[in-house]
Amino acid sequence: MDYGKLSDRFTFDDLLSGFREVLQKLQHVRSGLAVPESDGRQVPLYGMQEVFFGFGLTVHAIVRSRNPDQVLDSFTNFGTFAGKTQDQLVTVAATAWRLSSLTLFHFKLDALFQNLLRAFGEEPGKSGFGQNSTALLAKVTLADPKRAKRILEVITDIRNSMHDNGIHRGSDRAPFSAHGLTYEFRKDHDVRCASFGHILGITDSTVDVLEGILSSPIVKGLSKVEDRYAALNPWT
């Protein structure tokens, strides 16, 4: 998909297409795993699907059987946001959707990496996702490990900036391109690559990295990967 359509103004149909693209790619990865749904490789991927399916259902429910003017009208005079223009109300909703979707996806990404590290007999670090991703990437064989590392850095930099109201507090990063979109981070500057297009684009690229990790011989060779949440809440 051309995620650039979602980097500025976008239609709800474009947004739904973006959600579906990520969902389909996640399903493709899950379908390629010859392990039970309770396995610690499947559980986080399923959780990632839940994120985008949930937001997709919300958007679908809003636009179903409505024309664009009716959709805008449906946002008018809700709660304490009364008095906002229709465009402002859509922006408020879209901001909540895009930032929440990235955060929840990243939680599941972190859980997957921790599950794999424990399966390799290591205790995941407590000082951040970067340490765990570096440790895991060092164990697997990927076609382009440098690009995989940058993709994981990009999605993490966007997420981490949310702790500082959208400001990047890490070191400067060289510009990085994916799906025709550019990602750039400068220390103590606001992040300007967190549009829906950027977020869905880097999420799509991250799923490609996950497919490479999960299909690597060392990971495929694991007979079982536990998930602590699944252990407490078994699948029925």
Side-chain angles (χ1 to χ4, degrees):
M1 177 182 172
D2 177 13
Y3 290 109
K5 291 180 180 179
L6 297 165
S7 61
D8 186 18
R9 304 273 306 176
F10 58 85
T11 68
F12 284 108
D13 285 339
D14 288 337
L15 183 55
L16 287 171
S17 294
F19 285 147
R20 289 191 189 100
E21 189 82 8
V22 174
L23 277 167
Q24 289 169 357
K25 183 164 281 193
L26 283 165
Q27 185 59 52
H28 171 75
V29 175
R30 287 190 62 213
S31 297
L33 297 178
V35 296
E37 289 188 331
S38 59
D39 188 272
R41 284 160 283 196
Q42 288 274 18
V43 174
L45 291 173
Y46 174 83
M48 294 173 191
Q49 282 186 299
E50 282 187 319
V51 171
F52 291 102
F53 192 76
F55 284 110
L57 283 179
T58 300
V59 176
H60 180 71
I62 290 169
V63 302
R64 186 167 181 260
S65 301
R66 287 174 172 160
N67 62 42
D69 288 338
Q70 290 171 324
V71 170
L72 286 174
D73 188 59
S74 73
F75 280 81
T76 303
N77 294 326
F78 172 75
T80 57
F81 279 95
K84 293 282 187 180
T85 68
Q86 291 174 325
D87 282 346
Q88 287 173 330
L89 291 170
V90 173
T91 298
V92 168
T95 298
W97 293 335
R98 64 184 172 84
L99 298 184
S100 298
S101 62
L102 177 74
T103 302
L104 294 172
F105 175 86
H106 202 280
F107 286 162
K108 301 300 182 181
L109 179 65
D110 190 21
L112 174 60
F113 282 20
Q114 290 191 41
N115 288 351
L116 292 174
L117 287 173
R118 290 192 185 96
F120 288 128
E122 296 189 16
E123 186 61 29
K126 303 298 183 183
S127 61
F129 175 78
Q131 177 182 334
N132 291 334
S133 62
T134 298
L136 182 59
L137 289 178
K139 291 183 174 296
V140 300
T141 301
L142 300 176
D144 192 344
K146 289 184 178 180
R147 182 172 177 81
K149 180 177 176 60
R150 283 294 288 121
I151 288 169
L152 295 175
E153 287 174 344
V154 167
I155 196 169
T156 304
D157 282 341
I158 297 174
R159 178 191 176 278
N160 287 347
S161 73
M162 296 178 199
H163 293 286
D164 289 289
N165 201 29
I167 304 298
H168 177 65
R169 297 302 185 189
S171 58
D172 288 355
R173 303 279 198 190
F176 178 78
S177 295
H179 294 282
L181 294 165
T182 300
Y183 300 82
E184 188 172 5
F185 303 89
R186 297 175 59 200
K187 183 176 176 59
D188 296 330
H189 284 71
D190 58 316
V191 172
R192 300 194 175 187
C193 52
S195 69
F196 251 130
H198 286 92
I199 285 175
L200 289 175
I202 201 63
T203 299
D204 184 299
S205 295
T206 300
V207 177
D208 288 336
V209 174
L210 297 183
E211 183 173 23
I213 290 172
L214 293 169
S215 63
S216 64
I218 191 172
V219 174
K220 289 180 69 174
L222 294 169
S223 60
K224 182 180 180 181
V225 177
E226 292 187 356
D227 185 285
R228 292 182 176 180
Y229 177 84
L232 296 173
N233 299 271
W235 289 63
T236 57

